[in-house]
Structure formats: structure tokens, C-alpha cells
Amino acid sequence: MSITHIFFDIGGVLGTNGWDQGQRAAAVAAFHLDATEFDERHEDAVSVWDTGGMSLDDYLDCTVFFRPRPFGRDEFRTFMLSQSVAFPETIAVARRLAGLQRYRLMTLNNESAELNSYRVALFGLRNIFIAFFTSCWMGALKPSRRIYERALEIAQAQAASSLFIDDRERNLETARQFGMQTILYRNPAQLERDLAFLNEAT
């Protein structure tokens, strides 16, 4: 089957991760947090946060502001947002695909609502992708089968005619179980090479 739908991960593909280990380690250093305590509290909250069960303020209450701090909530939130950096070359690849008007481009990623909305705007993704299947709105996380199943159902996409691009092999394994084609993202040049078959198929 020819490809009709292309799903992109965001963190690690179109830009840096939103609030992964590297970003949290930077926050620990910048705000002199207890790393073990912060990591434990993050692990307790992150699944609920990323599936829409709590707001960013709720998450911060659980992980940082459960005790008085010498810094404010707005300062910490600003730091969190500053960790997001776009990957312009990869975004350009996605933009070129969208410009061909042959494929329906969508995102499929794990992220909390506030961070995702901020990053979609910051990275300029709204004029490239027609839908954003994010864990906070889907109520499920990659690599669970449910998020892929729902994304395909809502997009009205056939798995065999869908392509999923992600930087984590574990997330691609589940996509392949559904019969989706997959690309493991490493860098923009590699992605362009791996997408060359789309030109050959037209």
C-alpha cells in the first residue's frame, strides 16, 4: 500500500525533549534541588500529568512546591519552557512533505498539555501538521497499544498505509505490531535518506 498518513514524534525528532532526564537534571542543578527526591516525586506524577490527569501547576505542587522555596513558580516554569529547542532541519523535512500535499501529516507523542501547546507554537508546527495526537489528550502513553489504536481510528488511517517516525525503538515496535511502517530517527540527513522511497513510489 502507498503511504497516506505520516506520524511524527515531537521530542527527540522535531526538537529537544520537553521534560526528560536531561532537562530535569538541568533544573536540579539550576535550582539546587535534591535530585533523588525530585526524581522520585516526578516518577510518582509523570504518568498522570502526561495523560491529562493533572495540570502543570498540579505537577509543580507535587514535585517542587510541596515546601517553601527561595524561587518562585513563574521562575521555575520559565526555566522549564526554556529547555525546549526546535530542530529546524528536521522541521524543514516535515514542511517539505506537507508542501507536497500527498500525505496527511500528524504528530504522535507523549507530553503534558501545557508543554505540548507551548512547543507546537514555538516550533511552528501548526502550519505543517493537521492533527496532534498527544498523550495528554489521548489518555494513553506510547508505547501502549491504545494510543496507536486511537490515533489510527481518529485519523481514519489504515496501518499499512501509515508511517511513524520516532527516535525510540521501543515506540516503533508497537507501531509495527499494528502493521505501520516505521523509521528510527537519528538525524535530519538520515531521515531524508530513509524517506526517499516516498519519491520512488510516486
Side-chain angles (χ1 to χ4, degrees), residues 111-188:
E111 204 154 79
S112 65
E114 294 94 337
L115 278 179
N116 191 76
S117 294
Y118 173 80
R119 286 153 58 78
V120 165
L122 180 69
F123 297 170
L125 304 184
R126 291 187 184 128
N127 63 351
I128 300 174
F129 298 94
I130 64 172
F132 299 91
F133 296 119
T134 304
S135 61
C136 59
W137 300 315
M138 303 292 280
L141 291 161
K142 296 181 301 182
S144 70
R145 291 178 61 86
R146 184 57 177 154
I147 191 169
Y148 300 83
E149 183 179 55
R150 293 197 68 200
L152 290 169
E153 288 173 346
I154 295 169
Q156 289 295 288
Q158 297 295 315
S161 60
S162 299
L163 172 65
F164 180 44
I165 300 163
D166 199 292
D167 64 319
R168 299 186 183 187
E169 175 60 30
R170 181 65 187 88
N171 294 332
L172 298 175
E173 289 175 9
T174 307
R176 287 194 290 269
Q177 291 172 8
F178 278 93
M180 299 173 74
Q181 298 188 48
T182 63
I183 291 176
L184 178 63
Y185 174 87
R186 296 183 182 88
N187 57 65

Side-chain angles (χ1 to χ4, degrees), residues 2 17 29-31 45 55 67 82 85 129 136 166 169 172 184:
S2 60
N17 289 315
F31 292 94
S55 67
R67 67 164 61 109
S82 73
V85 179
F129 298 94
C136 59
D166 199 292
E169 175 60 30
L172 298 175
L184 178 63

